[in-house]
Amino acid sequence: MSTARERILEATEELLATKDAPAISTRAICDRAKVGMPEIYRQFGDKQGLLTAVADLGFARFLAEKRRNPLTDDPVADLRTAWDSHVAFALRNPHLYRLMFAPAGDAKPQAVKEAQAILLKAVERCRDAGRLRMPPELAGRSILSANVGVCVTALSFPDLFGDPDASRAVRDAVIDRVTGDEREDTRIGTATVLAQALLGTLTGTEPVNGAALDELTAPRAE
């Protein structure tokens, strides 16, 4: 038989399947979990404590998927696979993903450090193969920041950035940059526009450059 804590966590995860965390009331959680309102505070301290616990559960699933990513003889190709699996998780779990990687309030899921550590090991494989042009820690932070940025912008602006080609373009631009495999192309422009969109979404300060977005999303002449 499940405990009150387990029922509350399960109810919150189920509600996150259809709406973002700020839109979920503690009353709705309690009704679904069949517990009284004080139980949330008894188990988690407050709603933010509950959401942080749910984010940690999301990270447990996310990291389990990361560990199942296959390793090949090409560590750079494995970085691309890891990027794509990260995006796939975000698209399957949009509201949970935002809670994990763009949390509100002071409490932040600590499991993001483990995600960074897994990526660092992948980057160190590139270094050991002689295919890294910057310190592994910086390379790992750069890749994870860009990966999260692509996911958040794709979820926030699906019409503009939901195209899988945009994710692949940024993926290749960033990974090619840190590994020294870059080619002369225009993909880095996509990365820049996506980064601007992420900044505007998360801070509400700098608006996305409309002209740049128009150029990025306009149909290309054949």
Side-chain angles (χ1 to χ4, degrees), residues 96-119:
L96 177 61
Y97 184 88
R98 272 193 281 257
L99 177 62
M100 291 163 55
F101 284 97
D106 295 331
K108 309 295 183 185
Q110 294 302 302
V112 70
K113 296 178 181 178
E114 189 173 351
Q116 189 173 4
I118 290 175
L119 179 56

Side-chain angles (χ1 to χ4, degrees), residues 13-203:
E13 284 192 283
E14 289 172 353
L15 291 168
L16 276 169
T18 58
K19 59 183 69 175
D20 279 327
I24 300 174
S25 69
T26 52
R27 171 54 62 192
I29 295 170
C30 290
D31 289 346
R32 197 176 191 94
K34 295 181 171 54
V35 299
M37 189 79 72
E39 196 65 36
I40 286 182
Y41 300 94
R42 197 158 31 238
Q43 296 290 340
F44 303 98
D46 55 19
K47 182 183 178 183
Q48 186 58 52
L50 167 59
L51 293 177
T52 300
V54 172
D56 284 334
L57 290 177
F59 268 109
R61 296 210 320 261
F62 174 78
L63 295 172
E65 290 187 15
K66 283 290 185 185
R67 296 186 189 98
R68 289 195 294 268
N69 283 337
L71 296 181
T72 70
D73 293 334
D74 187 341
V76 176
D78 292 345
L79 281 179
R80 301 184 203 280
T81 298
W83 176 292
D84 292 341
S85 72
H86 184 134
V87 173
F89 180 91
L91 295 179
R92 289 196 312 271
N93 307 278
H95 308 295
L96 177 61
Y97 184 88
R98 272 193 281 257
L99 177 62
M100 291 163 55
F101 284 97
D106 295 331
K108 309 295 183 185
Q110 294 302 302
V112 70
K113 296 178 181 178
E114 189 173 351
Q116 189 173 4
I118 290 175
L119 179 56
L120 179 60
K121 290 181 180 179
V123 170
E124 287 173 340
R125 291 183 65 229
C126 297
R127 178 201 60 194
D128 295 343
R131 301 182 66 186
L132 197 65
R133 66 185 300 173
M134 62 181 65
E137 292 80 5
L138 177 58
R141 290 199 308 271
S142 299
I143 293 170
L144 184 57
S145 297
N147 210 169
V148 172
V150 163
C151 292
V152 172
T153 50
L155 296 178
S156 300
F157 305 100
D159 292 341
L160 290 174
F161 302 112
D163 185 344
D165 288 342
S167 173
R168 287 190 288 266
V170 181
R171 177 199 67 189
D172 291 346
V174 173
I175 291 177
D176 288 354
R177 176 68 175 174
V178 303
T179 62
D181 287 349
E182 73 237 83
R183 298 174 295 279
E184 186 175 351
D185 56 34
T186 60
R187 292 175 300 174
I188 196 64
T190 305
T192 301
V193 174
L194 283 171
Q196 291 173 342
L198 175 62
L199 178 65
T201 301
L202 296 184
T203 68

